[in-house]
C-alpha cells in the first residue's frame, strides 16, 4: 500500500499539491513503509513472546493507520470539502502508538536478555 501511495503521490498528486503538501504526504508514506518493514522483521524473529508480538502488531497497525492515514488526509486537505484539520489530533496519537510499539519491543528484548 505504501508503494502504491508513494507512486500516486509522486506521479498524480504532484500536479495538484504544493511542494509542502507533497513533502507531508511523503512523510506518511515513509512512516508506513518503515513500519511495514518493522512488521516483517517482527514476524521473522523469535526474540519475544507471542503475546508481546501481538501487542506490537496491534500498536503498529493502529499507529500507522492513525499517523500515516491522517497525514495523507491532511496533505490533501484542500482537495476535499471536509476540513481534515478537525481530526489533526489523530496524528500525534498514531505517533505515540508507534513509539509504544518500539518501546514494547525493546523492553521485551531487554527482559529476555536479563
Amino acid at each position: 500500500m505504501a508503494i502504491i501511495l508513494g507512486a500516486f503521490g509522486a506521479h498524480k498528486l504532484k500536479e495538484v499539491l504544493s511542494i509542502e503538501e507533497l513533502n507531508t504526504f511523503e512523510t506518511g508514506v515513509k512512516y508506513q513503509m518503515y513500519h511495514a518493514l518493522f512488521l516483517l522483521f517482527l514476524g521473522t524473529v523469535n526474540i519475544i513472546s507471542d503475546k508481546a508480538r501481538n501487542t506490537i502488531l496491534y500498536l503498529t497497525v493502529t499507529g500507522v493507520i492513525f499517523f500515516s492515514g491522517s497525514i495523507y488526509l491532511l496533505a490533501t486537505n484542500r482537495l476535499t470539502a471536509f476540513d481534515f484539520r478537525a481530526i489533526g489530533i489523530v496524528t500525534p496519537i498514531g505517533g505515540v502508538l508507534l513509539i509504544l510499539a518500539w518501546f514494547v519491543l525493546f523492553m521485551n528484548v531487554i527482559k529476555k536478555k536479563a
Side-chain angles (χ1 to χ4, degrees), residues 88-106:
I89 189 65
V90 172
T91 308
I93 292 170
V96 168
L97 294 174
L98 294 173
I99 291 166
L100 285 173
W102 285 92
F103 181 76
V104 170
L105 174 65
F106 291 130

Side-chain angles (χ1 to χ4, degrees), residues 42 48-58 101 104-105 108:
L42 192 65
I48 59 172
S49 69
D50 287 342
K51 181 180 176 186
R53 180 178 285 110
N54 286 336
T55 300
I56 294 167
L57 169 72
Y58 290 120
V104 170
L105 174 65
N108 277 272

Side-chain angles (χ1 to χ4, degrees), residues 55-67:
T55 300
I56 294 167
L57 169 72
Y58 290 120
L59 286 169
T60 303
V61 170
T62 306
V64 166
I65 290 168
F66 281 20
F67 184 82

Side-chain angles (χ1 to χ4, degrees), residues 30-80:
K30 285 180 191 176
Y31 277 80
Q32 184 177 353
M33 182 61 75
Y34 297 154
H35 287 89
L37 295 172
F38 174 60
L39 290 175
L40 285 172
F41 164 77
L42 192 65
T44 61
V45 296
N46 291 321
I47 57 175
I48 59 172
S49 69
D50 287 342
K51 181 180 176 186
R53 180 178 285 110
N54 286 336
T55 300
I56 294 167
L57 169 72
Y58 290 120
L59 286 169
T60 303
V61 170
T62 306
V64 166
I65 290 168
F66 281 20
F67 184 82
S68 292
S70 65
I71 291 282
Y72 298 143
L73 295 174
L74 290 167
T76 58
N77 190 47
R78 75 181 165 80
L79 303 177
T80 66

